[in-house]
Amino acid sequence: MDAIRPLPPTPPVAPAPAVTPIRPAAGSSNGSDSRVLDPAVSIDVRPEAGEAKPSEPERRAYIRDRDSESLVFRVTDPKTGDVVMQIPNEVILRARAYARETTAAFSGERLVKTA
């Protein structure tokens, strides 16, 4: 078995060279390089400065989808009647309806569709 020996001393490390900054530090403007920044936030709190609010709020409702027999949450635009958001998605409702129809066909149930 070898005897334990001390490690040889390491030579001192030379100091790192001075680093030159890529861009000038704050406060040391050279005239043409200085840029003026816009304010971070500006708020107008006057009542007439508020954003135009819709005359009618969005319509929110729960409905039952007949094909998939699922409960659906819908947010609709009152002016156009377009669906803004729906949970669950239309694709998921179609998949549930398809699964329900194919399961009923294999289980021997009679499935009656009404239009």
Side-chain angles (χ1 to χ4, degrees):
M1 180 179 230
D2 292 336
I4 297 176
R5 290 176 274 154
L7 289 175
T10 56
V13 178
V19 177
T20 57
I22 296 173
R23 54 188 151 151
S28 63
S29 63
N30 296 339
S32 63
D33 271 348
S34 65
R35 292 185 274 175
V36 178
L37 298 176
D38 293 334
V41 176
S42 61
I43 298 175
D44 191 0
V45 293
R46 295 176 295 153
E48 62 270 6
E51 293 181 17
K53 295 186 179 176
S55 58
E56 287 185 50
E58 299 170 328
R59 292 188 187 142
R60 300 164 187 236
Y62 287 96
I63 62 167
R64 180 165 296 280
D65 184 57
R66 289 185 308 191
D67 293 336
S68 65
E69 294 185 358
S70 299
L71 192 62
V72 179
F73 176 73
R74 281 190 184 162
V75 178
T76 57
D77 184 6
K79 293 180 183 175
T80 62
D82 293 339
V83 176
V84 177
M85 182 183 70
Q86 176 175 315
I87 300 172
N89 193 334
E90 186 68 29
V91 173
I92 295 173
L93 292 176
R94 285 190 215 144
R96 287 180 183 172
Y98 177 76
R100 185 172 169 269
E101 289 175 9
T102 55
T103 304
F106 289 119
S107 66
E109 289 181 35
R110 184 171 175 195
L111 184 65
V112 178
K113 284 189 84 171
T114 59

